[in-house]
Amino acid sequence: MKSVKVIVSFVLTLSLFSFPSSGFQSDELLLDDEEFGLEGSPRPRSPEPILTRSPPVTAPTRKRHSDLDSDSKIQFSLEHAFGDSDFSPAGTFSARLKTWSHGGQTLTKLRFSRNSFTDEDKEKFKNLLKSDDFYRIRIPSNVLNPPGRDFVISSVKARCLPREGLDEHFVIHMEGINVLAVNYGSPGSCPYPRNLKLPAKWSFNSHTVLKNSEQAPRAPVFTEEILGGENAEGEVVPPPERSFWAKYWMYLIPLGLIVMNAVTQAMNMPEEQATGQGQPGAVQRGPSPAARRR
Amino acid sequence: MAITYAVLLFLIFYSFQPTLSLYEDQVGLTDWHQQYIGKVKQAVFHTHKTGRKRVVVSTEDNVIATLDLRHGEIFWRHVLGHNDVVDGIDIALGKYVITLSSEGRILRAWNLPDGQMVWESSLHGPKHSKSLLLMTNVIIEKDNVVVIFSNGRLHAVSCIDGEVLWNKDFEAESLEVQKVIQPPGSNFVYVVGFAASSQFEMYQINATNGELLKHESEAFSGRFSGEVSLVSSETLVALDSTGLILLRISFHEGKISIQQTPISDLVEDSPGPAVIIPSSIMGLFTIKINAVTIFIRVIGKGKLEVVEKANHETAVGDALSLSEGQQAFALVQHAGRDIHLTVKLAHDWGGDLLKESIKMDQQRGLVHKVFINNYVRTDGSYGFRALIVMEDHSLLLLQQGTIVWSREDGLASIIDVTTSELPVERAGVSVAKVELNLFEWLKGHMLKLKGTLMLATPEDIAAIQYMRLKSSEKSKMTRDHNGFRKLLIALTRAGKLFALHTGDGRIVWSRLLQSLHKSEACQHPIGLNLSPWQVPHHHALDENPSVLVVGRCGPSSDALGILSFIDSYTGKELSSSRLVHSVAQVIPLPYTDSTEQRLHLLIDADKHAHLYPETPEAISIFRREFSNIYWYSVEDENGIIKGYALKSKCNGNVDDKFCFDARELWSIVLPSESEKIIATVTRKMNEAVHTQAKLIAADQDVMYKYVSRNLLFVATVAPKASGEIGSVTPEESWLVVYLIDTVTGCVLHRMTHHGSQGPVEAVFSENWVVYHYFNLRAHRYEMSVIEIYDQSRADNKDVWKLVVGKHNLTSPISSYSRSEVVTKSQSYFFTHSLKAIAVTSTAKGITSKQLLMGTIGDQVLALDKRFLDPRRSVNPTQAEREEGIIPLTDSLPIIPQSYITHNIRVEGLRGIITVAAKLESTTLVFAHGLDLFFTHFAPSRTYDSLTEDFSCALLLITIVALVAAIFVTWLLSQRKELQDKWR
C-alpha cells in the first residue's frame, strides 16, 4: 500500500514540474474576443464572399429581374473587347441593393447573365486565341450611376479561358456601391506555355464572387500581468523548484528507485520472517530494524 | 505561477534577442558618420571678440549652425522642422543668435557659445506678408530692440527676454512692405512698400513706442516689379513691371519723389528686360540683363551712371560697414578655371581693397553667394575673408588667396543612392602605397597578441585602437573578399554625383553633371533617379561599370527628360542626351545586352514606352520578351491604379524604332469620396529569397511563400483623414491596405483598419509587408504585418509525391492562373513614429531578417522580424517555441542595445538603404538625411567569419610552439632510447 502512495505522489510532483505553464490561462484574451463584437465594425459588412453560380446561359435574353421595377434591384452591364477593339456589351449583372439603417448601401445576391457569342464574336475570339492576345472586360466603377468616375478594366490572355466550354471567373471587389476592382480570369490554373486550344462549345460557364473589405485584426490588448513580468528586471533568478528538478532529476530518479526498492524490501521482510528463518543475504542487504530485532 | 510565467517569458525574450550593441573600442571600426548643414542661405560672422572666431549660418534645409572659421567644423547645429523655414538671422548683444522662422511667426534667440535656446516668442499678425528682420540700435528701458515685420504687423521685440514691446498693424489690403530701414543715428524706422503695385507708401514710425510719425504715398503711372535695392537710407531703386525703366525713389524728409530712367539711356544695346539684384550698398546697385551683370552708381541728385558691365558669371555680396562710415562689398567673377574675388569700396569703384585669384575645382560650378568679413592684418591694414556658396551647395572659406576649408554640403540633400563594386585586385594594379611592410605587419600582430594576453600598456592599447581604426585594409580601392568595400554613388539635389567609399566615407570622386546644368533650353533641371547602367560581369570585365542618371527639365511630369551616363570608377560623364520625350517612370528591365548594359524602359507622360540603350541588339532582346513586359502606374490624385502591356511600335509621325505604344490591361478605381492613396511599396528588384517553403514545425507542415516580384502594396486613407494625426475622429477615419498583382490587377488581399490613419511607412520583402500607422482609438502608433502564402502548391507536402516527381514545384508560375493565397496578419503597438523603414538584405537571403526603422529621434533601430510574425500567440506550444516563435505581446519591444546608430543621430533622416555584402551574414546599411551614416550590420551575428579581434598570431604561435615541442620531445626520446640500448 505504501509503495502505491509514493508512486502517486511522484507522478503528481512530476506532472507539476513538467507542465508549469498549463495552469495559467489568460482570461483577458476572452474578454478581448467579446470586445471584437462590441466595438468592431459599425457597418455590418458581409465578411464572407457571396458566391453565386450563374448557370451556363444559353439564351441571351434571360433577364428574369429586369422586368421587376423595384428600386432595390439594380443592374449593370459587362462589356468586353477583343484585343484592342472597342468595348461592346457582353452581359448583365443584377443584384439586390440593400440599404442599411445608417445609410450604407451594399449589394447582395449578385446574378450574372452572359450574352452568348455571335458568330462575329467567335471569329474575333478565335483570332485572339491564335495570336495569344488579351480578352478584356470592363464594368462601371459605380453601379448606381454608371460608369461612375471610370470603368474598371480587367483582362486575361484569351488562351486561359477555353476548357470544355469557356470558363470564366469574376471577383468583384466592392466598397458600398462602388466597384474598386474586378479580377477576371479562368477559375483554375493557366500554366505558362499557353497552348492553343479551341473550346468544344461556345458557351460561358461563369462564376461570380462579390468581395468586401476584411476587417483587420486588432492589436491584442493585455493587462499589466505580462508587461509587469517584462519589467521585473530584478527577478532574473529562475524559479528554484524547477531548476532543482531540472538539475537533479537524474539523481532523483535512481534515488526514488532505491527508496522504492528498500520500501518493498522492508514490506517483504516481515512476511519472510513470519514464514521461516531469516536468510543471511537479507540481513546483509538491508540493515532493517526487523533484522536487528532478531 | 504567474510569476513563474512572467520570468520565463522574460528569459525567452532575452535569449532570442541577439546582442547588437557594440563595445566601446568597436566604435568607428566599420561605421562612419558625417555631418552636414545644407546650402547656406545667410551667414553672419562673429569675429569681434577674441577667442574662437565663428560664423552663424542658416540654410535651405532649415538648419541654424555655427561653424568654426578656422576649420569649418560645426560648433553647434539645430535642425528646425521641415515647415519651420528660416527667414532671417542676426546676432544681438554679441552673444545671442536671433532667428526669425516659420513665415515670420517664430522669433528665437540662441546662446552663441553653446547653442542653447534663450527665449522664443511667437508673433502673429492679420495677414500673410514678407518677413523682415532688422537689428536696431534703439534702446528702450535698457533693452536693445529688434524690429520685425511679419504677417502685416511691425513688432519691436526686446533682445534680452523676447518680450514684444509694441506692435503696429499695417492693415491696408494691398500693401506689400518691401523694406524696413533705420537711418543711422536716428530713433525712427521707415517702413516702405508698394500698394496695389502702383503706389509707393512710406511710413515713418517712432522706434521707441511704435507711434506713426508720418505717412506719405505717391502714385506711379506704371506698375512696380517686386524687388528693390537700397542705395541710401532714404533712397530706393526699383524696376517697373516691364523691366525696362529704372525707378529711383527718394523719400527724404517725408517728401517722395519718383524719378524714371529708361535702361536704354544707360545701356546702349540692352537686349531685354532687366532684373534687379536686391542689395543695400550705398550709392550702388546691380541689375542683370540676360547673363550680363551691370553695376550702376547713383551720383548726387538722381544721376545714374554705369560703372561696369560684366559678361562673366558674377556674384555680388552684401555691404560690410567698415569704420568711418565706409562700406565695402565683394564680388566674385569666374574666369576660366579661376575665380576672382574683388572687394571694393562702395563709393569708389576704381579702388580695389582686395583682388585675389583663386584656382577653383570645376566640379563646384558657379558661385551662388558670397559673404565677406574683415579683420585687421598684422600690418594694421584691412584684410578680408569671404565665405562662398557654390552651385553644388558646397561652402568654402577664402582668405589670402587660398581656400582655407571647404564643406561638401551638397551631401545633405541626397535624392538617390546606388552602389558599385570596386575594381578587382590584379597583378598589374599596384596598391603598394597602402600596403604595410612585413615588419609593420608583425609589429601589429605582436601588439594584438599583447592585447589578447592582457599584457598591453595603455599606450599599446591606444596604438592598437588607432591601428584598427586606420586599417588600410578597409579603405583600399579594390574589391575585397567579403564585399564590404564598395562605392556608394549618390545623386544630390544640386545635380552633383558623389562616390563615397564605404570603408571610411571619403569622397572618391564627385562630378557636377553638365547635363543637369541650367541652360537656355532647360531652365530648371532636376535629377530624378539613379540606376546601375552597366555592371560588368563575366565577359565584359575590362570595362568600368557605369550608372545612369535620369533627370528632367522642370518639376512637372511633362517636362523633357535628360539622360546621363557616368563611369563609376572615375566619375567621367561618358555621354549624355537630351530626350525628345518626357520621363514619368524609369523601369530597369531584367535583361542585359552583350556588353552587360541593362535595358531600361522609360515611360513618358503620354504612356509611350521608350527603350534604352538605342541599339539593334537591345531591340532584338526586347522583341523576344515583348509579350512578357508589364508595368503599372499609380495616379495618387485620382486614386486610379492602371496596368499596361506593350502593344506595338509608336504610330506617331516620328519614325522611332525604340518607341512603343502601351495598352491598358487593367484598372482599379478607388472611390474618391472614401479613399485616397498615401503609400505604395513594392519589393526590391534584386532581393534574394533563399527558400520559398516555410516549415511549420508545430504541426509538421509546409507552407509555400507567395514569392512574386509583381506585388504592390497600396495604403489608402479616408480623404478627410489625410491631414495631421488627430484632425479627425476615429469614426470617420480608416486605413485600407491592398495587395495587388501588377500583371493582372488582381486584388489578392484587402483589409480595413478602422479608426486608423496615416502617415504610412511600409516595407515589402519576400512574402510579407510590414507597415506603420497611427491608431486613433488606442492613441498609439501601430505596426502590422501581412504574410501571404500560396495555397496552390500546398498539396506538395507529401514526401512520396516529391520522390516520385508528381509535384508542380518546377512548373512555371503564371499570374494568369487563379491565385489561391492565404494571408496572415497581426498588429502590434509601437512607441515611436517613423521617418523611414527598411529591411536588411543579405547575399543569399539565408540570414534572418531585421527591420531597420528610422525613428523620430533620427536614429536607426533594428527589430527582429520574428517580433512581427503573425503566428505569434499568447501561449505558444513547445514546438512553436523551439521554432522561435515569441509569445505574443501587445507592443513591440524597443531594446536600447539594438540602435544600430548607437549614440549617433542622423539628423533629418530621410532614407535607409541596405546593400548585401558578399559575406552572407552581413548587410551594409547606409542612412542619409542631413547627415550620413554607414555601418555593417549582422542580423544574426557574424556566424560565418572570425571576429575582428581574433588573433591569428596567437594561433600561429601556438601551432609553431606545439610542433617545436613535438620535435624536441621526439629528439629527446630518441636520444634516451639510444642511451638505454648502449647501456
Side-chain angles (χ1 to χ4, degrees), chain B residues 732-844:
Chain B
E732 54 190 9
S733 85
W734 50 86
L735 175 81
V736 192
V737 294
Y738 295 85
L739 284 177
I740 297 165
D741 185 306
T742 56
V743 173
T744 60
C746 176
V747 178
L748 295 172
H749 188 58
R750 178 160 70 120
M751 197 164 76
T752 313
H753 293 267
H754 285 286
S756 297
Q757 105 176 94
V760 170
E761 291 290 340
V763 61
F764 203 143
S765 170
E766 291 194 359
N767 66 327
W768 52 262
V769 191
V770 169
Y771 52 101
H772 177 272
Y773 54 92
F774 191 79
N775 186 334
L776 286 167
R777 284 223 171 86
H779 310 290
R780 284 204 259 183
Y781 283 101
E782 244 178 44
M783 280 177 89
S784 283
V785 57
I786 303 176
E787 289 191 359
I788 176 162
Y789 292 97
D790 195 352
Q791 280 298 90
S792 61
R793 335 185 111 204
D795 46 345
N796 289 320
K797 30 191 177 206
D798 195 344
V799 179
W800 282 112
K801 268 192 183 172
L802 290 174
V803 171
V804 180
K806 279 191 177 172
H807 59 86
N808 60 355
L809 289 180
T810 49
S811 65
I813 303 167
S814 168
S815 281
Y816 287 107
S817 300
R818 202 165 83 84
S819 51
E820 298 163 48
V821 294
V822 281
T823 53
K824 295 183 173 200
S825 148
Q826 212 167 53
S827 304
Y828 319 87
F829 294 122
F830 188 68
T831 318
H832 285 302
S833 61
L834 295 189
K835 285 187 164 178
I837 186 166
V839 66
T840 57
S841 61
T842 51
K844 301 268 187 289

Side-chain angles (χ1 to χ4, degrees), chain B residues 383-576:
Chain B
F384 292 92
R385 53 170 85 88
L387 195 66
I388 58 172
V389 182
M390 305 297 291
E391 193 182 356
D392 68 341
H393 299 185
S394 60
L395 186 69
L396 296 95
L397 185 80
L398 311 179
Q399 191 177 330
Q400 294 157 13
T402 51
I403 299 168
V404 184
W405 50 259
S406 63
R407 292 179 58 86
E408 290 291 351
D409 277 307
L411 282 169
S413 51
I414 289 177
I415 295 172
D416 203 356
V417 182
T418 185
T419 54
S420 167
E421 294 287 346
L422 283 161
V424 185
E425 196 164 348
R426 258 171 286 174
V429 184
S430 169
V431 281
K433 66 171 184 230
V434 287
E435 216 79 70
L436 294 168
N437 60 35
L438 185 70
F439 175 69
E440 273 177 53
W441 184 85
L442 261 179
K443 207 172 91 182
H445 272 277
M446 282 315 290
L447 270 176
K448 257 191 190 174
L449 185 65
K450 269 168 105 178
T452 322
L453 300 175
M454 310 249 182
L455 299 171
T457 59
E459 292 88 62
D460 287 348
I461 291 171
I464 296 169
Q465 186 63 12
Y466 179 79
M467 221 164 56
R468 289 167 73 187
L469 290 181
K470 294 284 162 228
S471 155
S472 59
E473 194 61 25
K474 69 176 189 185
S475 53
K476 263 191 208 170
M477 276 303 291
T478 52
R479 218 172 278 192
D480 66 334
H481 185 66
N482 291 334
F484 292 161
R485 294 199 295 259
K486 282 186 201 302
L487 285 179
L488 286 168
I489 298 176
L491 176 68
T492 66
R493 206 168 53 206
K496 196 174 185 181
L497 214 55
F498 288 92
L500 305 173
H501 196 289
T502 56
D504 51 4
R506 69 174 192 276
I507 295 167
V508 178
W509 53 259
S510 62
R511 181 150 303 251
L512 191 69
L513 297 177
Q514 282 312 305
S515 48
L516 288 181
H517 196 76
K518 198 170 151 184
S519 67
E520 282 292 309
C522 192
Q523 282 296 327
H524 303 284
I526 48 168
L528 288 180
N529 179 294
L530 183 66
S531 58
W533 174 251
Q534 193 180 15
V535 183
H537 243 62
H538 311 293
H539 41 272
L541 209 58
D542 294 332
E543 284 180 62
N544 287 356
S546 54
V547 291
L548 166 70
V549 178
V550 183
R552 69 170 165 234
C553 293
S556 71
S557 67
D558 51 355
L560 296 183
I562 305 162
L563 294 188
S564 178
F565 304 90
I566 288 106
D567 188 317
S568 304
Y569 291 167
T570 61
K572 224 177 103 210
E573 194 160 7
L574 300 172
S575 66
S576 69

Side-chain angles (χ1 to χ4, degrees), chain B residues 57-295:
Chain B
V57 292
S58 72
T59 72
E60 287 180 358
D61 294 281
N62 306 343
V63 176
I64 300 158
T66 58
L67 306 175
D68 184 353
L69 266 186
R70 298 250 181 281
H71 308 103
E73 286 156 8
I74 298 170
F75 278 137
W76 54 260
R77 170 177 70 153
H78 290 290
V79 184
L80 306 182
H82 69 274
N83 50 3
D84 201 3
V85 180
V86 184
D87 299 306
I89 57 168
D90 212 331
I91 293 178
L93 305 172
K95 59 179 179 179
Y96 293 160
V97 178
I98 307 278
T99 63
L100 181 68
S101 64
S102 200
E103 293 172 331
R105 280 199 298 272
I106 300 170
L107 188 72
R108 294 187 182 99
W110 315 86
N111 193 16
L112 186 59
D114 58 4
Q116 282 188 353
M117 186 151 75
V118 184
W119 49 258
E120 181 184 64
S121 38
S122 64
L123 311 172
H124 298 282
K127 61 170 191 179
H128 185 81
S129 79
K130 214 171 175 174
S131 309
L132 303 163
L133 175 77
L134 175 73
M135 201 57 68
T136 62
N137 47 18
V138 175
I139 293 172
I140 305 173
E141 292 164 9
K142 292 178 187 169
D143 278 5
N144 273 50
V145 175
V146 54
V147 173
I148 290 114
F149 184 84
S150 70
N151 295 313
R153 185 176 284 178
L154 191 70
H155 308 262
V157 181
S158 157
C159 287
I160 305 284
D161 52 7
E163 195 195 336
V164 179
L165 300 171
W166 52 261
N167 57 42
K168 171 147 184 60
D169 283 2
F170 289 83
E171 270 159 5
E173 268 304 298
S174 57
L175 179 71
E176 279 177 47
V177 171
Q178 296 294 338
K179 287 267 179 203
V180 179
I181 310 147
Q182 188 196 20
S186 63
N187 60 352
F188 57 87
V189 289
Y190 287 118
V191 176
V192 293
F194 306 130
S197 341
S198 63
Q199 190 158 331
F200 180 77
E201 302 266 347
M202 187 276 288
Y203 297 85
Q204 195 180 5
I205 310 267
N206 186 341
T208 52
N209 54 13
E211 191 192 336
L212 178 64
L213 298 174
K214 210 175 267 179
H215 174 212
E216 298 287 334
S217 64
E218 175 84 28
F220 168 60
S221 53
R223 297 171 75 80
F224 295 103
S225 74
E227 302 288 352
V228 292
S229 269
L230 201 64
V231 290
S232 82
S233 61
E234 290 173 336
T235 317
L236 284 177
V237 174
L239 277 169
D240 78 334
S241 56
T242 59
L244 297 172
I245 298 165
L246 271 174
L247 306 165
R248 181 179 166 278
I249 308 160
S250 146
F251 44 96
H252 183 62
E253 287 169 355
K255 273 180 68 186
I256 302 174
S257 68
I258 300 177
Q259 183 199 0
Q260 304 185 22
T261 315
I263 289 175
S264 52
D265 288 5
L266 297 168
V267 188
E268 252 93 82
D269 46 344
S270 64
V275 197
I276 202 155
I277 299 172
S279 66
S280 54
I281 305 166
M282 288 300 135
L284 194 83
F285 64 95
T286 323
I287 59 168
K288 207 165 183 180
I289 303 175
N290 293 333
V292 184
T293 315
I294 298 162
F295 296 91

Side-chain angles (χ1 to χ4, degrees), chain B residues 332-334 337-341 356-358 360 388 398:
Chain B
V332 179
Q333 285 174 309
H334 284 265
R337 297 188 152 272
D338 295 355
I339 59 164
H340 296 302
L341 170 70
E356 282 169 353
S357 171
I358 297 139
M360 186 56 74
I388 58 172
L398 311 179

